[in-house]
Amino acid sequence: MNRINMFFDKSTQFSIIAALFLLSSCGDKKAGQMPALPPVPVTIEAVQVTDASYHDEYPATVTALDVVELRPQVSGFITGVHFSDGSRVRKGQLLYSIDTQLYEANYDQAVANLSVQEANLAKAQKDANRFQELAKNDAVAKQLVDNADAALEVAKKQVEASKANIKGVQTNVRYTKVYAPFDGTIGISLVKKGAAVTAGQTILNTVSTDNQLAVDFNVDQKDIYYFSNLIQKGKANNDSTFTLAFGGDIYPHTGKILLMDRAVDPQTGTIKTRLAFPNPKNLLRSGMTGTVRVLSTSSKAVVIPYKAISEQLGEFFVYVPGDSSKVTQKRVHLGTALGTNIIVKEGLKEGDKIVVEGIQNLREGAVYTTEVPSATPAKK
């Protein structure tokens, strides 16, 4: 009996200790729970639409409308360079001279050969005439008459061949002078006086037009219809739709749209578009890079403060108030910045409400309040 009492006494003690342990554990869990976060103070505004004028910007490259590599059409040695590197040249201006001695000698030989052939023609003509007279009186064989006529035709063809040869060598003499193909700017000469050049191979220099330059930029395929309409309308030179910027500097002349490329690039989904800009002061040079600014206007543009935008992994979001005073993120597609505001192309419409102040303290599902917290009274 005593043993049984002792067993129950020990069991009771064990149960009491276990209960106390469980109570202690529950107390520790309650003590470790995080207190609920207070609502985040925010400012909420309704989205408005307004009239807006802005510029869509595209990276662009300046290029010449006409570019020609100058190559000699005859081989020889350069005997003269008749321009200054990088200068403006006029159409027909003499640029390079190639040694003419060989080609002039060939020309003189061709002229002399023509004289010989003309003399042969004169003799053949006399022979043919003589045999024709004899044939009238049956004083000569018919075969001899035919031979004389054939010799006359051969002599005529030889004269024609000699004249054609003269034209060929005369052309070579003319090709020893290299002239500017059009008005433009010439580059730095790639050959100097005394250099040997090969017909059709050696590059002497490059000339490009400079009074008007092209500016190429790539347009997304979804904008093809818009730019095609601009081409159809035939934008004038004084139209302000297209301007060109280099950093913070705006080129003083506006451009006009010329054309769009034949097809969309399947790799990029864009199509090359070309503008033309006047270049009266030669401020533009082929190869320059800048930014094409395309003026756009909208009577119902969704404009919100830029500070209402948050960015995550290259995507842009705004916080929208929802049920139970909680916010949720909504993705938007942004347009052009207008000072401290920005145009929203997709994702919002007029009347939608968004958080414009306090977004730095928000996260998805956070509780918000629009009440301004009261200031703590100062101690006296």
Side-chain angles (χ1 to χ4, degrees), residues 68-78 81 96-98 103 175 178 188-207:
V68 171
E69 288 183 343
L70 299 177
R71 298 174 187 262
Q73 293 179 276
V74 294
S75 300
F77 293 92
I78 298 295
V81 179
Y96 293 94
S97 297
I98 299 173
Y103 301 103
Y175 283 162
V178 179
I188 298 174
S189 181
L190 300 179
V191 297
K192 301 299 181 183
K193 187 176 179 180
V197 296
T198 303
Q201 296 184 19
T202 308
I203 299 177
L204 305 177
N205 211 319
T206 301
V207 179

Side-chain angles (χ1 to χ4, degrees), residues 104-117:
E104 287 178 346
N106 290 340
Y107 176 75
D108 293 340
Q109 183 178 359
V111 171
N113 184 60
L114 176 61
S115 299
V116 172
Q117 298 303 328

Side-chain angles (χ1 to χ4, degrees), residues 78-99:
I78 298 295
T79 57
V81 179
H82 308 284
F83 63 91
S84 299
D85 289 343
S87 63
R88 303 185 76 173
V89 295
R90 297 297 180 188
K91 181 178 180 180
Q93 178 179 335
L94 177 62
L95 302 177
Y96 293 94
S97 297
I98 299 173
D99 186 12

Side-chain angles (χ1 to χ4, degrees), residues 31-42:
Q33 287 179 351
M34 295 294 294
L37 294 174
V40 179
V42 298

Side-chain angles (χ1 to χ4, degrees), residues 39-183:
V40 179
V42 298
T43 301
I44 296 175
E45 293 182 1
V47 173
Q48 304 290 331
V49 296
T50 183
D51 295 340
S53 295
Y54 55 93
H55 288 93
D56 292 320
E57 297 186 342
Y58 303 86
T61 302
V62 179
T63 185
L65 288 171
D66 289 314
V67 181
V68 171
E69 288 183 343
L70 299 177
R71 298 174 187 262
Q73 293 179 276
V74 294
S75 300
F77 293 92
I78 298 295
T79 57
V81 179
H82 308 284
F83 63 91
S84 299
D85 289 343
S87 63
R88 303 185 76 173
V89 295
R90 297 297 180 188
K91 181 178 180 180
Q93 178 179 335
L94 177 62
L95 302 177
Y96 293 94
S97 297
I98 299 173
D99 186 12
T100 61
Q101 293 184 39
L102 174 62
Y103 301 103
E104 287 178 346
N106 290 340
Y107 176 75
D108 293 340
Q109 183 178 359
V111 171
N113 184 60
L114 176 61
S115 299
V116 172
Q117 298 303 328
E118 287 176 339
N120 291 336
L121 174 61
K123 178 180 181 300
Q125 184 67 60
K126 290 178 180 179
D127 290 342
N129 292 340
R130 185 180 306 112
F131 281 109
Q132 288 293 342
E133 289 296 327
L134 293 172
K136 291 178 181 180
N137 299 320
D138 292 329
V140 67
K142 181 76 167 55
Q143 181 65 43
L144 295 176
V145 176
D146 292 341
N147 290 342
D149 290 341
L152 176 60
E153 290 300 319
V154 170
K156 289 180 178 179
K157 297 300 182 183
Q158 288 176 338
V159 168
E160 291 177 2
S162 295
K163 290 180 178 179
N165 184 49
I166 287 178
K167 289 182 179 180
V169 295
Q170 194 174 31
T171 298
N172 287 338
V173 173
R174 187 168 65 251
Y175 283 162
T176 60
K177 308 294 183 184
V178 179
Y179 300 93
F182 47 71
D183 294 352

